[in-house]
Amino acid sequence: MANEGKAPGPFGIGKSVKRREDIRFVQGRGCYVDDLAQPDDLHAYFVRSMHAHARIVSIDVSSAMSAPSVRAVFTGRDLDAAGVGSIPCGWVVRNRDGTPMVEPPHPPLCIGRVRHVGDPVVLILADTLLDAKDAADLVQIEYEPLPVVVVTSRASDPDAPLVWDQAPGNLCADWELGDRREADAALARAAHVVEIDLVNNRLCANPMEPRAARAQRDRSTGRYTLHTTSQNPHTIKSMLCGSVLHLPDDTLRVIAPDVGGGFGTKIFLYPEEAVITWAAGRVDRPIRWNGDRSESFLTDAQGRDHVTHARLGLDAEGRFLGLTVDTIANVGAYLSQGAAAIPTYYYAQLLSGVYRIPAIYCNVRIVFTNTAPVDAYRGAGRPEASYVLERLVDEAAVVTGIDRIELRRRNFIPPEAFPYQTPLGLTYDSGDHHSTLSIALVAIDYENFAKRRAESERRSKLRGLGISTYVEIAGGVPSRIVAELGARGPRFEAAEVRVHPSGAVTVYCGTHSQGQGHETTFAQIVSDRLGIDFNDVTLIQGDTDQVRYGRGTAASRSLVVGGSAVVRALDKIIAKGSRIAAHVLEASAVDIEFRDGKFGVMGTDRRIAFAEVARRAYNASDFPVDEIEPGLDEIAFYDPANWSYPGGCHVCELEIDPETGVVTLDRIIAVDDVGTVINPMIVEGQIQGGLAQAVGQALMENCVYEGDSGQLLSGSFMDYAMPRASDLPALEVMTHETPCTHNPLGAKGCAEVGSVGLPPAIMNAVLDALRPLGVRKLDMPATSERVWRAIRAAAGPA
C-alpha cells in the first residue's frame, strides 16, 4: 500500500539516501549477462588476428568443423554472403574544405585484411567453451603480414603504411573550428606568446565486468533477444536492425541487465554482439559469449591518444587574447560510433574553458592506425581540452611572472557575464568560477603552502601544488543541432511513469545504470515531486520491449536528460490528478494546488491524498470519463535546449622523492559545480570515482603498442597499472551549486567531472615540484621512472 500523501522527508531531493540497489549487489543477487546462461547454450569463441596488419590469404576451417561438439564455424565471407552489413559510425564530421570524412567499412568478422591485433576473423560455436577453444587451434589461417603504423604522431608521415587504401595519409578527417586568421592576428599582437607540446596518453577503460552477450531466437515467433553488457540498449537495437542485420524493428529485443561498470566503453555496438545474434538464427540455438580480460584489452574501445601543439597569446597585463590548438587524434583501425565526435565537438568546443578568450582556432587531424578503436572514455574529449588549457595557463604564469591564481582570476568569465557566448559556439548558462577557486584554496590551506614546501625540503623531498579550473559539457547533444554536427539519430530521452491504483509508481526510463545509482536517484525525484514513499517507486531500465525509447547513459546525461523527462511526465500526472481531485472536491481545476503529496482547494482545508486520487483514477464512477480518461499514466520526452556545463576547481598537493622519482599524493581537493544535487552521497561517490581514474591517467596508466609489430605491450594487469587504494589520499569533495537554467531539475551532471579537472592539476603539481630543478616538460603518466629521468636530464651530465 502506498504511503498516502506523506511528504518525502528524508528521501527527497538533496538527501543522502543510501543506494537501495546495493543491497542485492553486496548479497550476490545482481543479475549480469553471465548469470543468464542456460544448459543448452552454445559457447562462442572468436579466432582473432595475431597480426596488427595483414592480408588474409586463406582460411581453412574444415578441421575445426569436425572437432568434438563443434556445431558451426563462420567467417566474414559467410556473413557477407548472408547480407550482414557494416557496423556504422554514429557521427560524420566534415573536412575543412567541406567534404565528408573517410568512413571505411567495419565488417563484424574481417574480410580480406586484418587491421589490429585482436581483430575477429572466425567464430567457433561449440557445446563447451573448452571445445570451442580447442577447435580454434585447428583453424588454419594464412596471413601475409603488412607494415604497421601505431604511433599517433607518425600516422601521416609520407612513408607511413596505409591502414585503409581510401584514406591517404591515414587521414580520416582534417577538421577545424573557429577563425584561424583572427586567432593568428591575436597572437601576432600579443605581448607574450606561450607554446606547449602535449601528449594525452591512451587509456584502457577496464570496467570490472568484461563485455558479454547472449543471443537467441524464439522458434515460434522468429523474434531475437540479445542480452548484452550495454550502456545503451536502444542504440544497439537500432544499429543492428537498421544497418547490420537488417531486421524489422519488432523482431529484436535488446536487454541490458545489471552492468558491472562501463565508463563509456560499453556504449558502442561491437562485432561480437552482431555476430552471435546473426548466428543464433542460423543454428537455431541460444549462444553465449563472455569476453575475458585479454580480449578486453585488445578489443574494447580505448580512450584519449592525442598529440597537441598549442599557443596562447596574452597582452602585457596578462589578459588572454588568442589561442590556437593543433591536435592529431588517433581513432584506431575502425571508426567506433562516437569516434569522430569525441576529438572534435566534445573536445575543441571546450577550449575556451572558464576564460574569456576573444579568438580561438582549433585544427584536429583524425588519423587511422593499426590499433584498437578509440572512442569515449570517462570525460570523452573534455579531459583532453581541460588538460591543454590548464597546462597552458600554468606555463603562461611562468613565462609572464604573473601569479597562477591571479592569472586565472584576471581571465575568468565573471558571474554577471552569464549567459556567456564563447568564440567556439557554446553558450554557458551559469557558473561561478571565482567562488569554486576560492573555496578550493581555503580547503587546501594555500596560504601556508610555502611552509609545507620548506618542511619537505628539510626532508630532502620536493613538494608541489597544482590547480585546475575547468568547465565541461554534459547532458548529450540537443536534437536541434544534431544535423549540424553530423550525428545519426535523435538525442532526446523518453520516460513513462505509471501510477498504480495503490498509488505506487513505476518509472520506465531509457537511461541505464552501470553503478551510478539510478534506482535510488530516480526514486528520490518521484518521491519529492509526488510526496509518496520512496520505497513505493520502482525503476525499469535496460529493456527495449518495456522502455519506449532511450539513448542510454553517456556524457553524464542520465539525470540531466532522463531525469528531466521523468519530471515532465510527473508534471503531466499532477495536472491530470488535479482535474480528478477537482471533481472529487467539487472545485474548479484552476483552484487546485498540489503540495506535500496532497491535492487541495486553495484557501481551504479540503485536501485529498495522492494515493486516493490514484485509486479514484481507476474508478470510472468517480469522474466524468467523457472528459478525463481513466488511469494516471503519462509519457514525456525531453530534448535539451542546450548542453549543461558542470565546472569547478581541483587542487592537488604532492611530494616527490628526487632519488627515486616516486610521486606521493598528499591531498586532493575537488570543488565542483554540478548544479542541483539530488543525492549528495551518490554525487560524492561519482566524483571520487572520476578522481581515482584521473589519478590513474596522470601517474600510472598508459596503453602502449610496439612500434614495429603493433603488438599491445600493456595487455594485462601485469603491464597496465591502475591505482590502488594505497595510491590515493583522501579525496575531499565539495560542491558549489549554480543550477542549470534550462532543465527542470537544475542539474548539470557529475559523473565525469573528476576525470576532467584533476589530470592537469596533478601534472601542474608535479611540474611545480620539479621546476626548481629545471624540469619544464613532462608528459602523462608521470611514473617514477619518467620523473627520475626528467630530474637526471635536467641535472645534465654527472
Side-chain angles (χ1 to χ4, degrees), residues 574-584 589 592 599 623 627-628:
I574 292 171
K576 184 176 180 179
S578 296
R579 296 172 64 196
I580 297 173
H583 182 78
V584 173
I592 298 296
F599 295 93
F623 56 89
E627 299 177 15
I628 306 173

Side-chain angles (χ1 to χ4, degrees), residues 440 443-444 463-466 649-654 663-672 684 687-688 690-696 698-699 723 727-734 753-755 757-759 761-763 765:
I444 200 73
R463 181 169 287 266
L465 186 145
C649 178
H650 292 176
V651 184
C652 173
E653 189 168 333
L654 51 76
V663 177
T664 302
L665 298 174
D666 186 4
R667 293 185 71 192
I668 289 174
I669 303 291
V671 181
D672 297 293
E684 182 180 17
I687 294 174
Q688 287 179 334
L691 294 173
Q693 287 177 288
V695 169
L699 298 181
D727 297 312
L728 302 174
L731 302 175
E732 302 171 60
V733 174
M734 288 162 271
V753 296
S755 60
L758 186 58
I762 293 175
M763 292 306 295

Side-chain angles (χ1 to χ4, degrees), residues 459-515:
R459 294 183 287 105
S460 300
K461 299 293 193 297
L462 306 169
R463 181 169 287 266
L465 186 145
I467 297 165
S468 168
T469 49
Y470 75 95
V471 68
E472 64 143 327
I473 53 175
V477 186
S479 289
R480 63 182 174 82
I481 59 173
V482 163
E484 175 191 339
L485 304 191
R488 291 166 173 163
R491 289 299 186 268
F492 55 75
E493 193 57 65
E496 180 178 1
V497 179
R498 297 181 186 175
V499 180
H500 305 286
S502 65
V505 171
T506 302
V507 176
Y508 299 80
C509 194
T511 58
H512 189 48
S513 177
Q514 317 96 53

Side-chain angles (χ1 to χ4, degrees), residues 190-213:
H192 306 280
V193 176
V194 181
E195 301 192 38
I196 195 167
D197 290 288
L198 299 169
V199 174
N200 206 291
N201 43 320
R202 180 184 279 234
L203 304 174
C204 295
N206 286 317
M208 186 178 294
E209 177 197 26
R211 290 188 295 112

Side-chain angles (χ1 to χ4, degrees), residues 530-544:
L530 298 184
I532 66 173
D533 194 297
F534 168 83
N535 295 304
D536 287 335
V537 184
T538 301
L539 175 66
I540 303 296
Q541 58 181 345
D543 186 337
T544 61

Side-chain angles (χ1 to χ4, degrees), residues 78-156:
D78 296 322
L79 273 69
D80 186 53
V84 175
S86 172
I87 299 174
C89 181
W91 296 70
V92 177
V93 301
R94 294 190 171 273
N95 294 296
R96 290 189 287 174
D97 62 6
T99 58
M101 70 183 192
V102 176
E103 185 179 359
H106 186 184
L109 292 178
C110 294
I111 301 173
R113 280 167 74 176
V114 295
R115 289 177 167 85
H116 70 89
V117 175
D119 231 352
V121 181
V122 177
L123 169 67
I124 309 285
L125 298 177
D127 291 343
T128 72
L129 182 58
L130 287 178
D131 284 346
K133 289 182 175 182
D134 287 343
D137 292 335
L138 302 176
V139 175
Q140 300 296 313
I141 305 175
E142 182 182 351
Y143 292 105
E144 178 188 327
L146 300 171
V148 306
V149 58
V150 298
V151 179
T152 304
S153 60
R154 299 186 60 187
S156 292

